Structures are given as structure tokens and as C-alpha cells.
Amino acid sequence: MTLIVPFAAGGSNDILARHLGDGLSKIWGQPVVVNNMPGAGAAIGSAHVSKAAPDGYTLLIASVTFTMNPAVQPNLPFDPRKDFQPVAMLGQVPLVLVVGKALEAKTVQELVATAKKQELNYADSGLGTVNQFGAELFAQSAGITLTPVHYKGGSEAMTAVIGGHSDMFMSSMTQALPLIRGGQLRGLVVTGKERATVVPDIPTTDEAGIPGVDVQQWWGIMAPAGTPMDVVEKLNADINKVMSTEATKEFLARDAGRPTPMSVQEFSDLISAQLKKWPEVADKAGIKIE
């Protein structure tokens, strides 16, 4: 069994893949090899899996970018709808909208009011990233316009907000949490319908009166299209076993994540819905990678 991570080692996809691999190895009594194949916004590793034998022995750990990339990259070397079989959802974590000390807004309502009076910008970690999609979906739901400022990565974007060069950043909880706790950044709102246990005082977008900002960083497992459904169902059951253990819950909770076990059909429906959702957000915001 080989689990392809389409990103470099050390990131959230890689760390979660290795945790899952260890759990599956114990169930199956055989090793699960994690192979990093980064590049082209996850397209290289994803294309590799799309062309693999559909026997359940080569799997892809996908994230929310799997459903966002097609919205901004029309020439992907695979078809996300036709070349993959969704297998299982692993878990998800909300994003958090953070501002620096230079911005006076103490609540998201004050931020929205300010944005209606003057031009504000947001930092992102690159064109077409989850940070940009999250910020644009927030702006569309709040009825405001925000100007994007692109940086080469999340660390650069975060530094820009801390230094007052950008007004806000829709950050992953993992990256923002130490800076929120340290006082360098102020968290105004978390995306989705549930508060994050690691920052229980920060309201959700729904609670703040800005519904519909349901963007989560999630991870799931995909197989090549044509993988037999009995194999897919077996993989789904065993993956859900690993993700439902107390050890996994504690592992994800460190960064406000939570396991989200789903049936094959439920995960397939989520993929289909998001492949429809993100192009609509991109078109409205003018997000496009030439």
C-alpha cells in the first residue's frame, strides 16, 4: 500500500498521512508507505494517482485544494470528477480571520463596518489558495469588497499582517494559534458552524451574522477511478476505524481539528458539491491563474 502525499514533507497533509498510515499498518499487519510527490499545486502527485492501477494499493491524500484547483487551473493533468473515486474523509479544521494591532477593529462587525467606509486588503499565501478562497467567500457573504495582496506563503502573509502591511489574513488555525495566544494577532472569527475548542472565545461566522462562510481545511483519501466498490468500502471502514480512535481525536485536537468520518457516498457528495461551489466563488471574485 502506498499513500501519495502531493505536498512536501512536514506539512499537515504529510503529518496526517503518516498518522493514518501507522494506524492502517496495525489493522492490516503490513506496512503503508508514504510517498511525497510535491509540485504544481498538488497536481503532480494527484496525476500520478489518477493513472495508477485501480486496485486500492495506491491512494491519494487530498485536501480542500483538490476541489479548489480546478476552479483556477483549467489545464490540470487529470479530471477531478472522472479520474478519482472518493474513499473516506479524514478530518477538518476551521480557518480563523486574524488582524494585527494596526487595525482598530476588535470584532468582525467593526471590521465589516470599516470595510464599507474605506478600502481594506487581505493577505493570502498565494493565488488560488484556501486562504484566498476563504477571504473572498467571507467578503461575498459580508457584502464587502477586499483587495488581495499575494505572498509566497503563509509565513510571509502572517508577517505582513503583524507588521501592518496587510489588514487581515484568513489563516489556518494551526499557523495562527501560537500568534493569537502570544498577542501578535487578534482572532475575530472562525469559519463554519462550530467554535474551535482551542479558541473558545472567538465566535463563528454564523454567530457573527455572516452565514455561509463554510470553508474548512479538510483532508480525505481518493483512489483511482475504477477501483472496485468492495475494495473502496473496505478501505472506508478501516480508515474510519483509525480516525475514530481517541489517539486520533487527541492528535487532531491540538490544532482545533476533529475527525469527520463519512460513508463513501457522503464523501462523494461533499466532493461534488465543492467542485461546483468553488468555481462560483472564483468567478465572482475574479480569481484565476493564467
Side-chain angles (χ1 to χ4, degrees):
M1 167 71 69
T2 300
L3 186 52
I4 301 297
V5 179
F7 297 98
S12 60
N13 295 65
D14 178 66
I15 293 169
L16 186 53
R18 294 178 190 280
H19 177 86
L20 174 64
D22 288 343
L24 291 175
S25 293
K26 293 174 183 176
I27 292 176
W28 295 336
Q30 60 177 309
V32 174
V33 177
V34 175
N35 186 4
N36 298 88
M37 298 185 67
I44 292 175
S46 300
H48 175 82
V49 175
S50 74
K51 296 175 176 62
D55 54 12
Y57 284 94
T58 303
L59 303 174
L60 173 74
I61 179 166
S63 65
V64 66
T65 56
F66 179 86
T67 57
M68 290 176 171
N69 281 344
V72 295
Q73 297 186 52
N75 298 314
L76 288 170
F78 57 85
D79 186 326
R81 293 172 177 83
K82 297 179 180 179
D83 293 343
F84 292 91
Q85 167 62 55
V87 175
M89 169 70 97
L90 301 181
Q92 56 187 341
V93 63
L95 303 182
V96 57
L97 182 64
V98 295
V99 298
K101 296 179 180 178
L103 199 67
E104 295 183 0
K106 299 296 190 293
T107 67
V108 73
Q109 291 87 354
E110 291 178 4
L111 174 67
V112 171
T114 300
K116 290 181 177 180
K117 296 177 183 177
Q118 66 188 65
E119 182 179 326
L120 294 180
N121 66 57
Y122 67 86
D124 65 50
S125 59
L127 188 62
T129 59
V130 64
N131 314 107
Q132 183 176 28
F133 272 100
E136 290 291 353
L137 184 58
F138 167 79
Q140 292 172 16
S141 300
I144 59 177
T145 299
L146 299 172
T147 302
V149 181
H150 307 304
Y151 292 91
K152 294 179 180 178
S155 296
E156 269 194 24
M158 200 80 78
T159 299
V161 176
I162 294 172
H165 305 295
S166 288
D167 296 312
M168 69 196 81
F169 180 46
M170 188 66 83
S171 174
S172 69
M173 186 64 71
T174 304
Q175 194 165 31
L177 191 57
L179 296 168
I180 293 173
R181 288 173 170 168
Q184 295 102 314
L185 292 173
R186 187 164 58 252
L188 298 187
V189 71
V190 297
T191 58
K193 302 180 183 301
E194 297 181 20
R195 291 199 181 198
T197 56
V198 291
V199 283
D201 294 335
I202 300 179
T204 67
T205 45
D206 279 19
E207 290 173 328
I210 309 174
V213 193
D214 190 13
V215 52
Q216 307 275 326
Q217 172 62 274
W218 58 258
W219 304 271
I221 297 298
M222 311 290 285
T227 302
M229 284 309 299
D230 60 332
V231 174
V232 174
E233 293 288 355
K234 169 63 174 172
L235 288 168
N236 176 273
D238 289 344
I239 290 169
N240 284 346
K241 284 180 185 177
V242 175
M243 299 310 297
S244 297
T245 64
E246 288 302 316
T248 296
K249 292 177 183 177
E250 293 175 5
F251 174 78
L252 289 175
R254 297 170 195 163
D255 297 316
R258 58 188 176 88
T260 318
M262 294 183 179
S263 68
V264 173
Q265 188 59 56
E266 288 170 335
F267 187 44
S268 298
D269 290 345
L270 180 143
I271 295 292
S272 296
Q274 293 207 354
L275 284 171
K276 178 181 178 182
K277 173 182 180 176
W278 297 123
E280 295 173 353
V281 175
D283 287 345
K284 190 171 182 180
I287 304 173
K288 186 176 182 180
I289 298 176
E290 300 295 341

